[in-house]
Amino acid sequence: MIELNNVSKSFTLHNQGGAVIPVMQNATLCVEPRECVGLTGVSGAGKSTLMRVIYGNYLAASGSVVVGGVDVAKAEPREILALRRETLGYVSQFLRVVPRVPTLDVVAEPLLAVGTPEGQARDKAASLLAQLNIRERLWGLSPTTFSGGEQQRVNIARGFAYDFPALLLDEPTASLDAQNRATVLGLIETAKARGAAIIGIFHDEAARETVCDRFVDVSVFSPKALA
Amino acid sequence: MSDYNFAYLDEQTKRMIRRAILKGLAVPGYQVPFASREMPMPYGWGTGGVQVSAATLTPDDTLKVIDQGADDTTNAVSIRKFFEKTAGIATTERTARASVIQTRHRIPEAELTEDQILVYQVPIPEPLRFLEPRETETRKMHALEEYGLMHVKLYEDISQHGAIATAYAYPVKVEGRYVMDPSPIPKFDNPKMEMAAIQLFGAGREQRIYALPPYTQVVSLDFEDHPFEASKADHPCDLCGAEDSYLDEVILDDAGGRMFVCSDTDYCRSRREAGHSGRLGGEAA
Amino acid sequence: MTPLLQVKNIRKFYGARIGCKDVTFDLYPGEVMGIVGESGSGKSTLLNSLAGHLAPDCGEVIFDTRADGPVDTVTMSEPERRMLSRTDWAFVHQHARDGLRMSVSAGGNIGERLMAVGGRHYGSIRERAADWLARVEISENRIDDRPSAFSGGMQQRLQIARNLVTGPRLVFMDEPTGGLDVSVQARLLDLLRGLVREMGLSAIIVTHDLAVVRLLADRLMVMKDGCVLETGLTDQVLDDPQHGYTQLLVSSVLHV
């Protein structure tokens, strides 16, 4: 489902004397449906960078990043957008939404984007928000005013609203209490069971052991010799 | 005979105006630019109509001039005298006897015939002007038949007054092509524009001539659910009793007394001569 | 899939001065593209050349028309192009007063395009105007007020309603949120996003505000001195800019 082949990534800082900072080399990785792969490695090893490359948020310098048959490294913007709409979900650490939009609509949006009838999308959003213990009186408000933990849970609800065949999870359980953490792990297990291919970053070791089938240490993709 | 060239204008100018008239007749409703001359009267007193009349008149013509339907108001009298003096032609107040009729703001009540010409004085020939101030743009709109804006004006009327409140200079579409300003005639007169006579329109200050050949289709713009209505005061004429003519309201005293009389003085007189009489027919006349 | 708009080598010079040059891109149905760059970068020149307000010196702007398929709008006859800009195209100006008739009521402003394409039933024109006022969150009882009595944000929303009433497929927007205060901007952005999704609109949005494109645009084109420096997926261009100028632009944004 997700297949990386010899992917490299570097940043060129044109405004700082054209310094080139290589951050990833020869990244090769394959994730099948019903599989959850945990990315490990010390902070700064490039876990989030790898995830962003897969999502198309960072541009791969070379190699191929094939998700559901689309090579993200070479695809047109609209192909990547279609992929993000229909195939590849991403729960980032930060919630980025249009101000003023009610929480319920924020969560329902991925469903509406694929043409789910409005009522059905709202029902699904409501049930997810309830599962994640977001109080109902907050649903009509914009999540921009919420606490960090609440925003995180809204973000997760949004990420799981639509059943993506492939999912990228960047620290989904960070800063959650035990009950909510269990709910999120349950969501991940359910997604796996329905056939999703998942790549996750979990600092929480117990969570990692619960849901991950195997681990990939991204420090092996770190460029060995700096030019 | 006077020392003026026939009908005041020199022959070259009349030729130029006749060419504009012919072009106007060939393209009904299209505003033809022409080199308007200084006339011995101020703009707004019918300089456009006078130039068109001057180019139209022949020594055998009989001229009638009306202002708001009346033969005896200042503007009508002075233009009639102008042509009596400069062209030495016959004049009349009788609609049926005239071969050329110059008018300001009315169409005579009596039906005109194929051997007559009606010349209108036009203050602002561009019907789109009040909504679109740019001449370059209005010309383009005519060229491309972009007339949606005209209906915006009627829409505004209905939204503000509950009905199309435009009572004069009511825009028309000519032969399904050009939208035209009929000059400030009351909308009551609009249906009469499909007539046997030739109609010529002259705007002196704006330097435009346009025309309607006989029997040209002239449709007043409207909405399906707010159709055009040729309205008039709901009274008979107090002098001649006519129920079908356009009426002027005349205030009689400061106690609310008033009367309605035909705005077409010749029509009213003819009827009274034929024995018709209205509410005040005996005394006021 | 046929692109809705194919732009090929558009070039516009003002005498010896560059307006924009060699701009080429395809826009697909439903896509929203942002054009960013500082003042004088040529983004407005490009937008006006695409929308038919300026005649480009060379190049093609091929639009997939409903009736005849892809047609070059640069060489098409003026009546056809003007017809297009009243039906399938829309243009939202930065200053609402450039895009509205200030002396005509809100209802008349919205109804104009309907009447321009032959609407002759007052009742149904008014009904659609009222419907569109509601869609852009203006109270229906303002339908007979003139735009001069509206706030800046309302005028902008009215301009959008006036443009979208004929169900266009391509909308050109020139700094649609410029000059509005931030809370009004947010509301407008939310409205635009909703309309774009509901109506399946394609749009080209010129702005210097990176926050606006991040929320509205699917993809981005960065311009400087009349040339396109970088294109790509919006979040990729903003989060991983490849060109030095874009890096400068992105790093110059103040974060609140």
Side-chain angles (χ1 to χ4, degrees):
Chain A
M1 191 68 216
I2 304 174
E3 206 175 334
L4 280 70
N5 234 314
N6 282 319
V7 176
S8 68
K9 173 68 197 159
S10 59
F11 292 105
T12 309
L13 306 178
H14 294 281
N15 299 301
Q16 286 164 43
V20 178
I21 304 170
V23 293
M24 199 197 302
Q25 248 177 16
N26 297 326
T28 298
L29 172 71
C30 182
V31 185
E32 299 293 335
R34 298 178 188 280
E35 191 180 28
C36 178
V37 173
L39 301 182
T40 60
V42 293
S43 198
K47 300 185 292 291
S48 289
T49 300
L50 180 64
M51 219 167 238
R52 283 168 165 240
V53 166
I54 298 171
Y55 198 58
N57 181 228
Y58 283 176
L59 195 65
S62 65
S64 67
V65 182
V66 179
V67 182
V70 176
D71 185 354
V72 175
K74 295 182 186 63
E76 291 288 320
R78 64 196 166 88
E79 295 170 318
I80 299 179
L81 287 171
L83 187 76
R84 288 179 181 183
R85 199 163 47 238
E86 285 149 19
T87 312
L88 182 62
Y90 180 36
V91 177
S92 69
Q93 288 170 276
F94 307 101
L95 182 68
R96 178 129 51 187
V97 293
V98 183
R100 215 182 68 114
V101 180
T103 298
L104 193 68
D105 291 351
V106 166
V107 175
E109 202 199 347
L111 286 167
L112 296 174
V114 291
T116 309
E118 215 164 295
Q120 207 178 318
R122 291 242 160 86
D123 290 348
K124 178 77 187 277
S127 102
L128 276 165
L129 286 169
Q131 274 185 66
L132 286 158
N133 295 312
I134 302 285
R135 280 164 297 162
E136 191 166 347
R137 63 187 180 83
L138 296 180
W139 295 359
L141 306 176
S142 166
T144 45
T145 56
F146 291 5
S147 73
E150 283 165 338
Q151 289 197 6
Q152 165 84 342
R153 279 177 277 148
V154 170
N155 210 12
I156 290 167
R158 181 178 156 89
F160 282 92
Y162 169 69
D163 289 340
F164 288 105
L167 267 173
L168 305 173
L169 309 173
D170 193 348
E171 304 262 21
T173 54
S175 70
L176 293 186
D177 60 34
Q179 192 200 346
N180 285 317
R181 186 169 144 273
T183 308
V184 173
L185 294 179
L187 286 171
I188 297 172
E189 289 292 356
T190 314
K192 267 170 68 177
R194 67 167 164 80
I198 301 171
I199 296 180
I201 301 172
F202 303 91
H203 279 152
D204 167 5
E205 222 165 293
R208 187 157 65 191
E209 296 301 332
T210 316
V211 293
C212 292
D213 300 296
R214 61 190 170 93
F215 299 97
V216 170
D217 184 353
V218 298
S219 46
V220 300
F221 305 142
S222 291
K224 297 292 173 286
L226 294 178
Chain B
M1 200 54 203
S2 67
D3 294 331
Y4 289 103
N5 188 45
F6 179 74
Y8 185 76
L9 291 173
D10 63 275
E11 292 306 310
Q12 289 306 318
T13 297
K14 286 193 280 183
R15 273 186 72 186
M16 175 269 293
I17 293 172
R18 285 176 197 137
R19 278 200 296 265
I21 291 171
L22 289 174
K23 185 170 178 181
L25 285 166
V27 191
Y30 171 70
Q31 298 167 45
V32 185
F34 81 109
S36 178
R37 298 294 193 247
E38 287 291 328
M39 298 303 285
M41 60 187 72
Y43 289 128
W45 287 68
T47 54
V50 164
Q51 290 179 78
V52 170
S53 293
T56 306
L57 286 169
T58 67
D60 299 332
D61 273 316
T62 302
L63 179 71
K64 170 183 162 81
V65 183
I66 51 173
D67 174 5
Q68 308 259 28
D71 293 271
D72 52 2
T73 52
T74 321
N75 198 203
V77 171
S78 59
I79 291 174
R80 195 160 58 231
K81 286 207 167 137
F82 174 78
F83 281 115
E84 281 170 358
K85 183 166 186 181
T86 61
I89 46 152
T91 57
T92 180
E93 294 193 3
R94 304 221 171 243
T95 302
R97 279 194 207 150
S99 55
V100 175
I101 302 169
Q102 179 170 334
T103 176
R104 175 176 172 271
H105 302 189
R106 270 313 307 277
I107 294 176
E109 304 291 354
E111 199 167 320
L112 300 185
T113 58
E114 286 182 5
D115 48 12
Q116 290 180 305
I117 297 175
L118 185 59
V119 177
Y120 295 77
Q121 300 172 200
V122 182
I124 295 171
E126 179 49 72
L128 300 162
R129 180 61 70 236
F130 290 104
L131 295 151
E132 176 51 68
R134 291 166 295 178
E135 171 72 14
T136 48
E137 187 63 18
T138 51
R139 280 199 210 184
K140 200 167 272 181
M141 291 161 85
H142 281 294
L144 304 179
E145 281 186 76
E146 292 180 2
Y147 291 131
L149 203 51
M150 215 60 252
H151 274 86
V152 172
K153 186 169 184 289
L154 301 180
Y155 170 95
E156 292 289 282
D157 258 11
I158 302 172
S159 71
Q160 274 154 38
H161 309 291
I164 298 178
T166 302
Y168 63 93
Y170 191 105
V172 295
K173 195 165 203 180
V174 177
E175 284 290 330
R177 177 59 182 84
Y178 284 98
V179 165
M180 187 187 94
D181 182 322
S183 88
I185 58 172
K187 65 177 171 183
F188 173 80
D189 282 344
N190 272 21
K192 293 192 216 155
M193 297 184 86
E194 293 190 348
M195 63 164 72
I198 291 175
Q199 298 169 79
L200 305 176
F201 299 78
R205 181 185 50 211
E206 303 287 325
Q207 315 202 19
R208 293 289 184 277
I209 286 171
Y210 49 101
L212 296 173
Y215 309 110
T216 301
Q217 185 199 51
V218 179
V219 178
S220 303
L221 301 181
D222 61 2
F223 286 102
E224 289 157 17
D225 48 345
H226 286 268
F228 172 80
E229 260 180 279
S231 57
K232 71 184 249 315
D234 191 16
H235 282 272
C237 172
D238 283 331
L239 296 181
C240 75
E243 310 234 357
D244 59 352
S245 71
Y246 191 72
L247 301 172
D248 284 338
E249 184 180 359
V250 180
I251 303 296
L252 296 177
D253 50 39
D254 55 5
R258 57 181 188 166
M259 67 189 288
F260 287 92
V261 295
C262 291
S263 102
D264 185 337
T265 51
D266 176 56
Y267 181 72
C268 199
R269 189 187 52 211
S270 314
R271 278 179 54 84
R272 275 179 281 133
E273 283 169 6
H276 296 282
S277 180
R279 181 173 63 98
L280 305 169
E283 31 188 314
Chain C
M1 187 165 44
T2 317
L4 186 67
L5 192 74
Q6 299 171 59
V7 175
K8 295 182 180 169
N9 293 311
I10 283 294
R11 174 189 294 236
K12 174 74 187 171
F13 274 66
Y14 299 104
R17 215 152 37 81
I18 296 183
C20 63
K21 74 174 188 188
D22 306 334
V23 180
T24 295
F25 66 88
D26 288 346
L27 188 76
Y28 284 82
E31 254 188 333
V32 178
M33 187 174 91
I35 303 178
V36 295
E38 57 198 10
S39 301
S41 59
K43 53 194 196 309
S44 291
T45 296
L46 175 62
L47 192 75
N48 284 311
S49 301
L50 299 179
H53 298 170
L54 284 174
D57 299 333
C58 67
E60 294 167 56
V61 179
I62 299 167
F63 181 72
D64 186 17
T65 60
R66 283 182 219 236
D68 306 315
V71 179
D72 184 4
T73 61
V74 175
T75 53
M76 107 189 329
S77 71
E78 191 177 9
E80 285 177 294
R81 192 163 53 238
R82 284 172 69 110
M83 182 52 112
L84 204 56
S85 56
R86 284 201 304 272
T87 52
D88 262 356
W89 284 8
F91 197 103
V92 177
H93 294 264
Q94 172 175 7
H95 302 293
R97 44 180 61 240
D98 293 337
L100 291 173
R101 290 193 192 277
M102 299 304 282
S103 59
V104 168
S105 70
N109 262 290
I110 298 177
E112 182 177 343
R113 272 170 81 114
L114 295 172
M115 293 182 249
V117 295
R120 292 291 178 266
H121 192 281
Y122 175 82
S124 62
I125 290 167
R126 197 166 168 83
E127 201 172 298
R128 285 183 68 184
D131 174 49
W132 267 98
L133 279 180
R135 289 178 76 169
V136 298
E137 303 171 27
I138 295 176
S139 162
E140 200 187 316
N141 63 24
R142 304 297 302 270
I143 192 168
D144 292 329
D145 292 349
R146 292 184 174 183
S148 47
F150 287 5
S151 68
M154 281 169 78
Q155 288 183 3
Q156 199 59 299
R157 279 179 274 136
L158 178 63
Q159 193 195 177
I160 288 165
R162 166 181 160 89
N163 268 285
L164 297 188
V165 65
T166 48
R169 290 186 296 153
L170 176 60
V171 186
F172 299 99
M173 297 191 213
D174 189 3
E175 303 273 10
T177 60
L180 300 177
D181 59 53
V182 280
S183 61
V184 177
Q185 269 193 27
R187 191 171 176 196
L188 191 68
L189 286 174
D190 176 29
L191 176 75
L192 281 173
R193 264 169 65 104
L195 291 172
V196 163
R197 190 179 59 205
E198 269 171 52
M199 302 177 70
L201 294 175
S202 301
I204 299 178
I205 300 171
V206 158
T207 179
H208 62 268
D209 189 337
L210 298 183
V212 167
V213 286
R214 191 185 277 276
L215 292 174
L216 269 185
D218 300 323
R219 49 190 277 229
L220 218 52
M221 192 156 103
V222 183
M223 290 188 73
K224 185 175 193 298
D225 299 333
C227 300
V228 176
L229 297 183
E230 181 168 355
T231 63
L233 200 62
T234 302
D235 57 293
Q236 182 257 298
V237 173
L238 294 179
D239 294 340
D240 184 16
Q242 306 294 304
H243 194 281
Y245 175 73
T246 317
Q247 292 180 353
L248 193 67
L249 204 64
V250 170
S251 63
S252 307
V253 175
L254 296 173
H255 289 279
V256 181

